[in-house]
Amino acid sequence: MTTQATGTRREQLLATAAELFAARGFHGVSVAEIGAAVGISGPALYKHFPGKDAILAEMLVAISQELLSVGRARAGAAGGGVPALQALVDWHVDFALRHRALIVVQDRDWESLPPEAREQVRSLQRAYVDVWAAELAHVHDGLPLDRGRAMAHATFGLINSTPHSVLLPEPEMRALLTGMALGALGV
């Protein structure tokens, strides 16, 4: 198997596991079920991951890394202040709407993460929150860091509520979430 095929299979396993974990919970899904869903045996899954814990860890660490790296890049490209907050909101709304299953898994199966992965995710998430808090401080002169962090967390809660509701078509939901998030941030 080529490296590209292995990478593709890993991505397929991660995406499938995310959907299964979101539907039934981490503890409600077996390695055999994940393998079967992608057309391999449970034992064959161990060629790609040492176990189900490793799948969950890679899944949640990877999304935290992506949120942080893309968030930093978009805020930086926007030049700071209101444009940076708009870029961050657009990015997070887009992520939430494209990755509903990952948001459910992050929220519900956090405690199932191995301790070292949990600390890595926490560290990445703190850095992501601080990207938002720094931009909020530019927009709201004199805003204390802890208040900026609280505003960022509250906005994430609003945006990350999307997996729990599909009341509107995606374009309308995107516009609604974006407007509400910017309003919550005082932009």
Side-chain angles (χ1 to χ4, degrees):
M1 185 175 279
T2 68
T3 304
Q4 185 176 6
T6 302
T8 300
R9 177 63 78 180
R10 282 181 73 81
E11 291 167 8
Q12 185 182 22
L13 285 163
L14 287 165
T16 300
E19 292 295 329
L20 291 170
F21 293 166
R24 299 198 317 252
F26 176 75
H27 295 293
V29 177
S30 71
V31 169
E33 290 169 314
I34 297 168
V38 297
I40 63 173
S41 68
L45 184 140
Y46 293 110
K47 292 179 184 174
H48 304 280
F49 294 96
K52 195 168 72 162
D53 289 352
I55 294 171
L56 181 65
E58 184 168 326
M59 182 186 304
L60 296 185
V61 167
I63 66 167
S64 297
Q65 289 170 330
E66 182 180 359
L67 283 165
L68 177 59
S69 67
V70 175
R72 281 179 173 158
R74 292 202 181 177
V82 172
L85 284 173
Q86 290 170 328
L88 286 167
V89 167
D90 287 345
W91 159 238
H92 201 100
V93 168
D94 181 64
F95 184 90
L97 291 173
R98 283 185 302 112
H99 300 291
R100 293 172 187 252
L102 289 172
I103 290 173
V104 170
V105 172
Q106 163 73 29
D107 185 47
R108 185 182 53 217
D109 294 315
W110 167 259
E111 291 299 320
S112 298
L113 270 175
E116 63 279 355
R118 193 175 316 133
E119 187 49 44
Q120 188 176 6
V121 169
R122 271 193 193 117
S123 176
L124 291 163
Q125 289 176 343
R126 279 191 295 265
Y128 183 58
V129 167
D130 283 348
V131 170
W132 286 65
E135 297 306 333
L136 282 162
H138 290 295
V139 171
H140 303 289
D141 193 33
L143 183 74
L145 182 60
D146 61 344
R147 187 164 181 85
R149 287 174 174 153
M151 290 172 72
H153 278 286
T155 304
F156 299 161
L158 179 127
I159 296 169
N160 290 346
S161 69
T162 59
H164 308 292
S165 64
V166 286
L167 302 174
L168 297 172
E170 186 179 313
E172 291 177 46
M173 191 65 169
R174 181 180 301 277
L176 177 68
L177 286 170
T178 299
M180 291 179 73
L182 291 171
L185 295 170
V187 176

